Amino acid sequence: MFKQKPTRIGISWGDPNGIGSECILKAFDDRRLFEDLLPVVYGHGETLRRQAAQFDVAIEIQDIEDASDAKPGAICCVNITPQAIVPNWGQPHPDAGEFARLSLETAVNDLASTKVDVLVTAPINKDTIQSKQFKFPGHTEYLANKAGVEDVLMILASDILRVGVVTGHVALKEVASSISKGRIERYATLLNESLERDFGLPTPRIAVLGLNPHAGDNGLIGEEEKTIIAPAVQSLKNAGMKVRGPFGADGFFGSGDFKQFDGVLAMYHDQGLIPFKSLSFGQGVNFTAGLPIVRTSPDHGTAFDIAGKGQADGQSLRAACRMAADIKNHRDAYREITVNPLKTPPSKGRDKGRF
């Protein structure tokens, strides 16, 4: 039987005062990952070895000068600084933010030059990473800017649920004014494309949530469902997509109706992520759809409150690594089955290449 080539995964360190490095070590403490993955961590090899001893993780860690030198069976580390890192566990600091930025930038550069196949990002502190070089709300917006892509969709995915968010990192008071028929159509289309191409789900079933309680109760609690969301759903149906809604979010998740759909499009961040994390926390993965590259991350943050205490769990980062490889393989398969063997047109748009 044909065995696929191992996926070379670039992993950014995240905030060095948070749980990112501990999660990386504990993720690969499951030796089965090395059968299909070649992990390349961007940070400092000796620091990672010291932390492996601190967190009682017996694993081989090799320093490499270049990601292309990565060998199977070990965590390979590209040193982005000559000196060992001494974490100030749980404490936000601009120096930690700068280290996280440099790790991310180095990993992205290697991804762009195809030295790694996919990107997995450990959590950053969105405040301390801010600088002249990084003026973005988070990883998603940074990568969209690097790729020159206007529309990307944050998808939280697990074995039981996939949720996309229309407005993302937007203040709650600005959500209603940020929603439009066109925006819903664009993001639903992105979700549909991603479910087909990235998750291998042909003709996916998508549920669209309402904005207001009880999806507006026919206009009694708000007009957005009648004037914006329902017309968008109808337009998507007319385009041939299998879309239903708008659904009231509480009843939709409380009744288990989400199990009938391949993907859910929520109107705002907490509407989608609270039920997702309630159902899948520690096992979920954050995936950025719409990019020409594959990027995933764990479904948690820096967790400063437990950093350095040995209490972090690597399960979500492990799932992020597996999903990144799976999505790459799905994209490769999708590209093969959709190519025209008689004429190969010049690639354009989202599939034009990397950064």
Side-chain angles (χ1 to χ4, degrees):
M1 181 181 289
F2 173 73
K3 183 173 176 62
Q4 288 181 317
K5 180 181 177 182
T7 302
R8 197 178 301 260
I9 298 188
I11 306 174
S12 62
W13 191 286
D15 192 297
N17 294 340
I19 64 170
S21 53
E22 183 181 352
C23 288
I24 293 168
L25 290 165
K26 289 183 174 179
F28 284 91
D29 198 24
D30 184 341
R31 304 291 297 181
R32 292 172 297 180
L33 262 66
F34 291 109
E35 296 174 6
D36 303 304
L37 308 178
L38 290 177
V40 179
V41 176
Y42 294 83
H44 191 266
E46 180 56 29
T47 300
L48 202 58
R49 283 187 284 273
R50 292 176 186 176
Q51 292 185 11
Q54 176 183 346
F55 298 126
D56 195 26
V57 177
I59 197 167
E60 184 179 356
I61 299 166
Q62 297 182 353
D63 291 17
I64 56 174
E65 292 188 8
D66 193 274
S68 58
D69 297 330
K71 297 292 188 289
I75 293 179
C76 297
C77 194
V78 174
N79 293 328
I80 63 171
T81 177
Q83 297 180 329
I85 307 159
V86 181
N88 188 5
W89 297 114
Q91 299 302 311
H93 195 281
D95 289 347
E98 175 58 18
F99 180 87
R101 184 200 67 79
L102 182 59
S103 174
L104 175 62
E105 183 179 83
T106 309
V108 167
N109 288 341
D110 276 2
L111 182 65
S113 59
T114 69
K115 292 180 180 179
V116 294
D117 300 315
V118 297
L119 174 67
V120 174
T121 57
I124 59 173
N125 181 294
K126 293 180 174 64
D127 180 28
T128 60
I129 199 173
Q130 299 299 317
S131 66
K132 291 181 180 179
Q133 293 84 16
F134 194 101
K135 297 180 179 179
F136 304 94
H139 286 111
T140 301
E141 296 81 4
Y142 168 80
L143 292 167
N145 179 265
K146 291 285 287 186
V149 175
E150 184 174 348
D151 287 331
V152 294
L153 179 66
M154 178 173 65
I155 297 177
L156 273 292
S158 70
D159 290 340
I160 62 171
L161 181 61
R162 301 173 197 88
V163 178
V165 182
V166 173
T167 53
H169 294 127
V170 173
L172 187 58
K173 65 181 180 180
E174 299 172 4
V175 167
S177 62
S178 299
I179 291 172
S180 67
K181 177 175 178 287
R183 184 167 186 159
I184 293 169
E185 290 172 359
R186 292 197 309 274
Y187 283 99
T189 301
L190 263 181
L191 179 57
N192 188 79
E193 291 175 351
S194 182
L195 291 171
E196 287 187 334
R197 182 182 68 162
D198 301 326
F199 293 91
L201 298 168
T203 59
R205 300 158 297 173
I206 296 174
V208 177
L209 302 183
L211 172 65
N212 299 296
H214 311 299
D217 264 348
N218 199 30
L220 293 175
I221 313 177
E223 293 285 334
E224 286 84 2
E225 284 77 14
K226 293 177 67 175
T227 61
I228 299 173
I229 303 174
V233 169
Q234 186 59 52
S235 178
L236 292 163
K237 287 181 178 179
N238 294 342
M241 290 171 52
K242 297 182 71 173
V243 182
R244 290 177 57 196
F247 294 98
D250 57 346
F252 179 79
F253 288 108
S255 66
D257 282 351
F258 68 90
K259 297 175 184 177
Q260 302 176 30
F261 295 89
D262 299 306
V264 179
L265 187 66
M267 291 299 109
Y268 58 94
H269 185 280
D270 284 9
Q271 184 188 52
L273 270 63
I274 288 175
F276 178 85
K277 292 191 176 184
S278 297
L279 293 164
S280 302
F281 191 73
Q283 303 173 36
V285 176
N286 183 344
F287 167 60
T288 307
L291 291 172
I293 52 89
V294 176
R295 174 258 171 169
T296 64
S297 68
D299 66 356
H300 57 73
T302 55
F304 281 159
D305 57 323
I306 63 169
K309 298 178 181 179
Q311 299 174 9
D313 189 335
Q315 188 170 353
S316 182
L317 197 138
R318 185 183 305 126
C321 292
R322 288 193 185 279
M323 186 174 290
D326 287 344
I327 289 172
K328 175 190 176 295
N329 293 334
H330 281 309
R331 284 192 178 186
D332 290 345
Y334 184 84
R335 193 175 295 113
E336 281 190 33
I337 65 175
T338 56
V339 69
N340 183 345
L342 300 179
K343 180 180 179 182
T344 304
S347 58
K348 59 182 180 180
R350 299 187 188 282
D351 289 317
K352 65 184 178 181
R354 301 194 179 215
F355 296 116

